Amino acid sequence: MRISVRVKPGSKSGDRVVANDPYLDVFLKEKPIDGKANEALVRLLREHFGTAPDGVRIISGFGSRIKIVEIGGPEGT
């Protein structure tokens, strides 16, 4: 499954996921320096969706706040 995610790095409210049509808003404490926010995003979404360690990957938007993320692999597993 692919979802659109809007990342809000450097959030003081802590790491959390909020459904907010048309995006899944993800608040991260981590700042977007040296890919740390992307790593935190993947880690948080793995926990949120309960997937395997390789079950979440960023498809597009590596340097953007708006990203397309694949959950569960290309076959939807």
Side-chain angles (χ1 to χ4, degrees), residues 37 40 44 62:
L44 183 61
F62 292 95

Side-chain angles (χ1 to χ4, degrees), residues 24-45:
L24 190 65
D25 284 335
V26 180
F27 297 83
L28 300 171
K29 288 186 232 178
E30 200 68 55
K31 296 189 188 276
I33 299 170
D34 296 329
K36 299 290 185 187
N38 284 340
E39 292 171 11
L41 170 67
V42 169
R43 187 172 46 254
L44 183 61
L45 290 179

Side-chain angles (χ1 to χ4, degrees), residues 3-14:
I3 58 173
S4 296
V5 175
R6 181 171 43 196
V7 180
K8 300 189 178 188
S11 173
K12 294 181 188 209
S13 64

Side-chain angles (χ1 to χ4, degrees), residues 35-61:
K36 299 290 185 187
N38 284 340
E39 292 171 11
L41 170 67
V42 169
R43 187 172 46 254
L44 183 61
L45 290 179
R46 276 195 322 242
E47 292 171 10
H48 181 78
F49 287 103
T51 66
D54 62 346
V56 175
R57 67 186 186 112
I58 300 170
I59 301 297
S60 68

